[in-house]
Amino acid sequence: MTAEGGSTASSVSTETKANKRTTAYVVKSFVAGGIAGCSFLGVFRAIRDIHSVYGVPGLFQGHSATLLRIFPYAAIKFMTYEQYKTLIMPRKEDETPMRRLVAGSMAGVSSLFASYPLDLLRTRLAYEIRMPKAGTDGEMKSPGLVETGRMIYHEPNPYSRHGKFIGGVMNFYRGFVPTTYGMIPYAGVSFMCYEGMKAWAVERDGWWTYESTRRKGTLDEEGKSRQLTWWAQLTVGGLSGLIAQTASYPFEVIRRHMQIAGKIENGAGNGGVKKFPTTWETTKTIYAKKGPRGFFVGLSIGFMKVVPMHAVSFYVYEYMKVLLDF
């Protein structure tokens, strides 16, 4: 009887994993991930500094690029995580913290290829200085999405001296390397902590869980499953974001410095020529100016955005799983 039960459990597990490889599952996880990513969009911004210089419209500078970036980024991240998880951990007993870390890291890096150019546009739109408006007497305007894209494309590239086409395209991936370095611990640690803490909480079956028959998942003999309450779900998601942000923040600082490098002029000794430093040069510059603490400047403010963002996005993703029935 035990062998028969084990065989049945194994076949159910195999069937469940196979269902995750279907087109319908991929599409549903893509849509759910995109909606989860957009659910907390734009709530926290650097309000005081931007408002003091540009007024209320300045608070939304770069918002259009953010809207274009966040959906594919989150959608691809969640969708590919489900697929990598199926490949790396085909059985429930295969799920370990290290494998969750690897699956999350791979999912994060996969999402970057589609979303990074838009992330660069968003950053430059937020930092771009105002320009004289054509046909007016000194009236200033902020460059739009298309205009900023043209500026980035035509800027000199350290890897393309002759201004070839590939040089222009590669300008949209300036800072991509440190972003990749940062994404590995950020997405990996985020998913690892979330899945681990969620499994730990569910297994203990305390007052923070409830019985559900709607969700597909780890079912008992009666076809029921235990799920986290809404506040426990938000807590687990928020904590995972806090830990992931701390682990990856130095790479975030380096990336931002490289992305806005196009607006920084070198000293007079260089003839006013703009410099686009490499990852290592940027790292040395930050360390020389501020030491190790320079890589964590603004981390507390980052917590204010990332912690609730992770809490809400993971919660919404789990809710979309129920809504879309996958």
Side-chain angles (χ1 to χ4, degrees), residues 11-21 25 86 217:
S11 63
V12 171
S13 176
T14 301
E15 181 181 355
T16 301
K17 294 295 184 180
N19 290 337
K20 290 186 177 183
R21 303 294 299 277
Y25 189 93
T86 302

Side-chain angles (χ1 to χ4, degrees), residues 8 88 96 165 204 216 324:
T8 302
I88 299 174
T96 63
F165 178 78
R204 272 139 189 84
K216 298 177 180 178
L324 297 177

Side-chain angles (χ1 to χ4, degrees), residues 154-199:
H154 291 291
E155 288 172 350
N157 190 296
Y159 303 107
S160 179
R161 297 182 179 179
H162 304 293
K164 295 181 180 179
F165 178 78
I166 188 64
V169 172
M170 291 303 294
N171 282 342
F172 290 94
Y173 284 89
R174 185 180 298 125
F176 184 79
V177 174
T179 303
T180 303
Y181 294 157
M183 182 57 69
I184 292 174
Y186 181 74
V189 171
S190 176
F191 278 109
M192 179 187 71
C193 292
Y194 174 76
E195 295 274 14
M197 288 188 288
K198 177 185 173 184

Side-chain angles (χ1 to χ4, degrees), residues 64-138:
S64 56
T66 303
L67 285 170
L68 293 173
R69 176 191 70 93
I70 197 65
F71 187 93
Y73 165 75
I76 294 173
K77 184 178 70 173
F78 278 102
M79 181 266 289
T80 54
Y81 176 74
E82 295 286 356
Q83 296 304 307
Y84 289 136
K85 182 180 176 181
T86 302
L87 291 172
I88 299 174
M89 298 168 280
R91 301 173 302 173
K92 186 67 178 178
E93 53 268 31
D94 293 331
E95 295 189 19
T96 63
M98 182 54 66
R99 290 182 179 181
R100 288 168 177 158
L101 176 69
V102 172
S105 298
M106 293 171 64
V109 173
S110 296
S111 67
L112 282 181
F113 288 98
S115 65
Y116 189 81
L118 294 169
D119 182 49
L120 178 64
L121 275 170
R122 179 184 67 89
T123 302
R124 287 291 293 270
L125 278 167
Y127 280 92
E128 201 71 57
I129 60 174
R130 292 190 172 189
M131 305 171 60
K133 190 174 182 179
T136 63
D137 186 17

Side-chain angles (χ1 to χ4, degrees), residues 74-302:
I76 294 173
K77 184 178 70 173
F78 278 102
M79 181 266 289
T80 54
Y81 176 74
E82 295 286 356
Q83 296 304 307
Y84 289 136
K85 182 180 176 181
T86 302
L87 291 172
I88 299 174
M89 298 168 280
R91 301 173 302 173
K92 186 67 178 178
E93 53 268 31
D94 293 331
E95 295 189 19
T96 63
M98 182 54 66
R99 290 182 179 181
R100 288 168 177 158
L101 176 69
V102 172
S105 298
M106 293 171 64
V109 173
S110 296
S111 67
L112 282 181
F113 288 98
S115 65
Y116 189 81
L118 294 169
D119 182 49
L120 178 64
L121 275 170
R122 179 184 67 89
T123 302
R124 287 291 293 270
L125 278 167
Y127 280 92
E128 201 71 57
I129 60 174
R130 292 190 172 189
M131 305 171 60
K133 190 174 182 179
T136 63
D137 186 17
E139 184 179 347
M140 305 297 285
K141 70 168 184 175
S142 298
L145 183 65
V146 175
E147 188 174 6
T148 301
R150 289 174 180 169
M151 291 171 58
I152 295 173
Y153 181 86
H154 291 291
E155 288 172 350
N157 190 296
Y159 303 107
S160 179
R161 297 182 179 179
H162 304 293
K164 295 181 180 179
F165 178 78
I166 188 64
V169 172
M170 291 303 294
N171 282 342
F172 290 94
Y173 284 89
R174 185 180 298 125
F176 184 79
V177 174
T179 303
T180 303
Y181 294 157
M183 182 57 69
I184 292 174
Y186 181 74
V189 171
S190 176
F191 278 109
M192 179 187 71
C193 292
Y194 174 76
E195 295 274 14
M197 288 188 288
K198 177 185 173 184
W200 181 89
V202 170
E203 288 172 2
R204 272 139 189 84
D205 192 16
W207 45 271
W208 51 84
T209 63
Y210 69 96
E211 191 176 79
S212 173
T213 56
R214 296 180 60 194
R215 277 290 311 276
K216 298 177 180 178
T218 306
L219 304 179
D220 58 21
E221 293 79 2
E222 299 179 356
K224 299 176 181 179
S225 65
R226 302 298 299 180
Q227 303 297 329
L228 296 179
T229 60
W230 65 269
W231 62 265
Q233 188 81 58
L234 290 172
T235 300
V236 169
L239 287 174
S240 68
L242 184 147
I243 298 172
Q245 177 77 347
T246 303
S248 63
Y249 194 75
F251 299 102
E252 172 75 6
V253 173
I254 295 172
R255 176 173 70 99
R256 295 297 182 188
H257 276 74
M258 293 186 69
Q259 286 183 332
I260 64 175
K263 302 306 300 175
I264 300 174
E265 301 283 349
N266 275 348
N270 293 296
V273 177
K274 293 180 180 178
K275 181 183 179 182
F276 299 89
T278 63
T279 303
W280 179 239
E281 289 174 339
T282 303
T283 303
K284 290 192 299 182
T285 300
I286 296 173
Y287 184 84
K289 290 182 177 180
K290 300 181 179 179
R293 296 181 61 181
F295 296 99
F296 294 93
V297 173
L299 179 59
S300 59
I301 298 177

